[in-house]
Amino acid sequence: MKYVLVTGGVVSGLGKGVTASSIGVVLKACGLRVTSIKIDPYLNTDAGTMSPFEHGEVFVLDDGGEVDLDLGNYERFLDVTLTRDNNITTGKIYQSVLEKERKGDYLGKTVQVVPHVTDAIRNWIETVSVIPVDGKEGPADVCVIELGGTVGDIESMPFIEALRQLFFSVGQDNFCLIHVSLIPVLGVVGEQKTKPTQHSVRELRALGLTPHFLACRSAEPLLESTKLKLSQFCHVADGNILNIHDVPNIWHIPLLLRNQNAHDAILKHLNLRSVATPPELQEWTKRAETFDNLQNSVRIAMVGKYVGLPDSYLSVVKALLHACIARSLKPSVDWIAASDLEDESSESTPEAHTAAWRTLREASCVLVPGGFGDRGVRGMLLAAKYARENNVPYLGICLGMQIAVIEFARSVLGLQRANSTEFDADTQNPVVIFMPEGSKTHMGSTMRLGSRRTLLQTPDCITAKLYHNSEYVDERHRHRYEVNPEVVGILEEAGLRFVGKDESGKRMEILENPSHPFYVGVQFHPEFKSRPGRPSALFLGLILAATGQLEAYLTKQQNGSL
């Protein structure tokens, strides 16, 4: 196994995840099989209980793993299906070590960070790196490892020591270290400053790891003089100093690396030149250039709870992008804080209230994504009602589907107290209830998680047609509450259709409103399996409906002309 380790220095948020993904893309384009591992040094066992404001979205894998959003980048860029074990956290490592200690596996020894914790890290990396993630048999050729955080952080010290030991054990030809660092430009001087990177590399070297490559983040391309300075003071060959400057969209990053012959230098270092081919990146090039040249856009109202941090809905945004690119459109996402739509905000924050409603009315479609808790729910209900009554295309995901059910029950059935037991445990009309397989007391890993099968009840519905007349779909879930099966009958009598159910027939997975051009709610999260060049069917349907092209598209598809 060949390992490519990506570390970061100077500041966090430099784009290590995109850099690691892009390195994987370039190596995969050279004919190699690539897998990836993300190391998060925090003490949480996984990302499941972390606030979106704290850490961005929680990405869900097929096996139900709740992981860091960077694994979403890996899956989208590399088109692989990762497992929960591809995300290593301090919490997981300490948990496994303590379980062994309680079982007596250490035979009475004093359990210490070195060697027991570091050995556990190494064993985890070596075990996970050989698990195939691309649908083929046998291990990958290269494992790209991203170490989260910044070099010098106290919590990452055991991981750096474990990686140093791994480097020593596998040898120079099998281990490549790429250090991502910042090259700032001070406004007064206007000079590219290398000192922060020098200090970061010095810190890394003091911990026993010497970078073979520097990936320098900067606003503008690096000057040759800056490269020479970095090479001289960081002990890295100038040919191995890669510049990842700001680009119009992240799909340019693999091309940027290819243009600097990064693939060739990495292949040479890992002694893989003999088995690799020249990089085939025509599709990436076309995709990146297409996005740069898009003229027409579509306005999408995103009505959510966590709109202050777009990373909270990163996969939703990416899925919208994939769908828009497929229709040669540029997505224009209008973020609307759901609470700003509520009647109370007209008195407390009248300007925000007016702006939110103006934005909603100007949008071509409405999307209500997932979320937890009752904050902003009344605003989401108003958005769903507006979309339903005005024939505006609507896609509700997870909570967004439940919102559609509650709004329909209140407005159409006249059940004014209809609610979810999540928001009102004593509601007289519980149209959304707590699901039986979860736990009310523990937050972590208690939800209905991972890939589950949804059976489409009829071919005569928009969803079935968008999924190419498939009888079922496998999508990823992350929820505790769902539509109460006891109210399905009266909802369907009033006009809603539950066109997708689980294999037991008791869990409602997909709803449609046949009297509406596109009013769809899904209990699962289709955004997690959307890929560049292979957009999610439901997101594509939303964009088609927003631009008035849905009917023509479905007709062409039924006739086999697509």
Side-chain angles (χ1 to χ4, degrees):
M1 176 62 62
K2 309 284 187 178
Y3 298 96
V4 175
L5 171 62
V6 179
T7 60
V10 185
V11 292
S12 59
L14 280 178
K16 293 189 302 296
V18 173
T19 303
S21 302
S22 299
I23 289 164
V25 166
V26 175
L27 294 177
K28 186 178 178 181
C30 292
L32 301 175
R33 292 175 62 198
V34 180
T35 185
S36 60
I37 293 174
K38 171 69 190 295
I39 297 174
D40 284 305
Y42 47 67
L43 274 167
N44 303 61
T45 304
D46 58 33
T49 57
M50 297 176 77
S51 164
F53 289 119
E54 182 88 14
H55 205 67
E57 79 168 1
V58 176
F59 190 81
V60 179
L61 301 170
D62 266 5
D63 66 0
E66 296 174 283
V67 296
D68 185 86
L69 57 80
D70 278 322
L71 274 82
N73 278 328
Y74 301 155
E75 284 206 343
R76 284 186 289 268
F77 269 59
L78 299 173
D79 197 13
V80 294
T81 302
L82 301 174
T83 70
R84 67 178 76 231
D85 291 337
N86 289 81
N87 190 197
I88 305 175
T89 68
T90 300
K92 285 182 181 178
I93 295 295
Y94 275 86
Q95 191 175 52
S96 68
V97 169
L98 290 172
E99 283 173 0
K100 283 186 177 181
E101 187 273 333
R102 290 289 84 187
K103 287 191 292 185
D105 290 356
Y106 294 117
L107 303 175
K109 289 186 178 294
T110 303
V111 180
Q112 297 174 291
V113 174
V114 180
H116 302 105
V117 171
T118 52
D119 283 352
I121 295 167
R122 280 181 54 195
N123 292 339
W124 194 303
I125 290 171
E126 290 176 330
T127 302
V128 173
S129 64
V130 298
I131 298 173
V133 295
D134 56 2
K136 300 175 183 176
E137 292 184 1
D141 301 306
V142 180
C143 177
V144 179
I145 305 169
E146 179 196 346
L147 176 61
T150 308
V151 168
D153 293 346
I154 291 173
E155 58 261 35
S156 64
M157 291 299 181
F159 291 102
I160 288 183
E161 172 58 22
L163 291 162
R164 184 197 65 78
Q165 292 176 18
L166 179 66
F167 177 29
F168 184 74
S169 66
V170 301
Q172 181 86 13
D173 289 351
N174 298 311
F175 194 97
C176 172
L177 199 167
I178 300 174
H179 188 59
V180 183
S181 188
L182 177 68
I183 305 295
V185 174
L186 297 184
V188 179
V189 184
E191 178 188 356
Q192 292 178 336
K193 293 293 184 181
T194 63
K195 191 65 74 177
T197 299
Q198 291 179 43
H199 284 300
S200 181
V201 170
R202 187 180 303 154
E203 178 88 30
L204 194 57
R205 288 163 65 88
L207 296 169
L209 286 171
T210 300
H212 304 110
F213 292 81
L214 288 180
C216 300
R217 287 285 291 109
S218 59
E220 300 293 333
L222 284 188
L223 301 173
E224 281 303 315
S225 57
T226 306
K227 278 190 176 185
L228 290 172
K229 198 172 182 181
L230 285 166
S231 175
Q232 183 178 359
F233 293 110
C234 296
H235 296 261
V236 176
D238 57 357
N240 289 0
I241 294 174
L242 311 172
N243 182 206
I244 304 178
H245 55 77
D246 291 352
V247 288
N249 66 75
I250 59 171
W251 291 337
H252 280 284
I253 305 297
L255 309 177
L256 206 57
L257 293 170
R258 188 269 317 267
N259 294 343
Q260 296 175 70
N261 286 319
H263 59 287
D264 193 53
I266 294 169
L267 293 170
K268 180 181 178 183
H269 181 89
L270 295 174
N271 199 23
L272 285 171
R273 272 178 163 175
S274 59
V275 295
T277 59
E280 296 282 342
L281 287 168
Q282 287 89 339
E283 276 190 33
W284 276 91
T285 305
K286 183 181 177 183
R287 196 175 295 131
E289 291 176 351
T290 298
F291 186 31
D292 288 346
N293 297 321
L294 291 176
Q295 301 297 324
N296 300 322
S297 64
V298 56
R299 292 188 64 175
I300 306 146
M302 180 94 80
V303 183
K305 298 175 61 169
Y306 318 114
V307 295
L309 182 70
D311 272 4
S312 302
Y313 300 114
L314 184 64
S315 290
V316 175
V317 173
K318 296 299 182 188
L320 286 170
L321 174 62
H322 301 157
C324 286
I325 293 290
R327 305 306 300 171
S328 299
L329 293 165
K330 185 177 288 188
S332 176
V333 179
D334 293 325
W335 299 93
I336 301 175
S339 54
D340 287 342
L341 294 171
E342 296 172 2
D343 295 338
E344 290 82 355
S345 72
S346 63
E347 297 179 5
S348 57
T349 53
E351 290 183 5
H353 179 78
T354 303
W357 273 103
R358 183 173 61 248
T359 303
L360 182 66
R361 292 188 179 104
E362 290 174 354
S364 301
C365 59
V366 177
L367 195 157
V368 178
F372 297 93
D374 62 357
R375 184 175 60 82
V377 162
R378 282 171 295 177
M380 295 178 197
L381 289 167
L382 289 168
K385 184 177 183 179
Y386 166 79
R388 182 180 59 80
E389 292 181 343
N390 293 278
N391 283 341
V392 177
Y394 175 91
L395 176 61
I397 297 171
C398 196
L399 174 61
M401 170 179 167
Q402 297 167 12
I403 290 291
V405 170
I406 296 168
E407 189 279 322
F408 192 87
R410 289 183 182 182
S411 301
V412 180
L413 294 179
L415 303 174
Q416 293 303 317
R417 299 293 301 276
N419 213 335
S420 165
T421 54
E422 179 182 7
F423 314 136
D424 180 2
D426 302 318
T427 177
Q428 295 173 2
N429 304 114
V431 294
V432 176
I433 60 171
F434 183 77
M435 48 185 264
E437 69 182 47
S439 164
K440 286 187 178 180
T441 55
H442 287 71
M443 298 288 283
S445 293
T446 57
M447 292 183 277
R448 191 162 188 250
L449 287 164
S451 182
R452 306 294 181 97
R453 179 152 293 183
T454 295
L455 303 180
L456 291 158
Q457 305 298 300
T458 171
D460 186 27
C461 64
I462 290 173
T463 306
K465 292 171 184 174
L466 286 169
Y467 277 106
H468 301 282
N469 297 318
S470 175
E471 294 180 358
Y472 63 87
V473 294
D474 294 321
E475 295 281 7
R476 298 175 184 178
H477 293 66
R478 185 178 185 250
H479 64 99
R480 291 189 180 91
Y481 293 81
E482 60 189 278
V483 177
N484 184 351
E486 293 181 6
V487 301
V488 168
I490 59 169
L491 287 168
E492 291 199 318
E493 284 174 16
L496 274 189
R497 287 176 75 196
F498 290 94
V499 299
K501 300 179 182 180
D502 79 332
E503 290 169 305
S504 73
K506 294 179 180 177
R507 299 176 189 271
M508 302 303 114
E509 295 281 3
I510 307 169
L511 73 78
E512 289 186 11
N513 188 335
S515 62
H516 191 286
F518 188 91
Y519 195 85
V520 178
V522 289
Q523 190 58 71
F524 49 78
H525 288 265
E527 68 270 23
F528 291 139
K529 294 178 83 169
S530 180
R531 300 285 183 269
R534 203 168 67 248
S536 161
L538 291 166
F539 280 85
L540 182 62
L542 178 69
I543 298 305
L544 287 164
T547 54
Q549 302 174 53
L550 179 61
E551 198 172 327
Y553 175 87
L554 294 178
T555 302
K556 281 184 179 179
Q557 185 176 279
Q558 297 299 103
N559 295 336
S561 55
L562 275 181

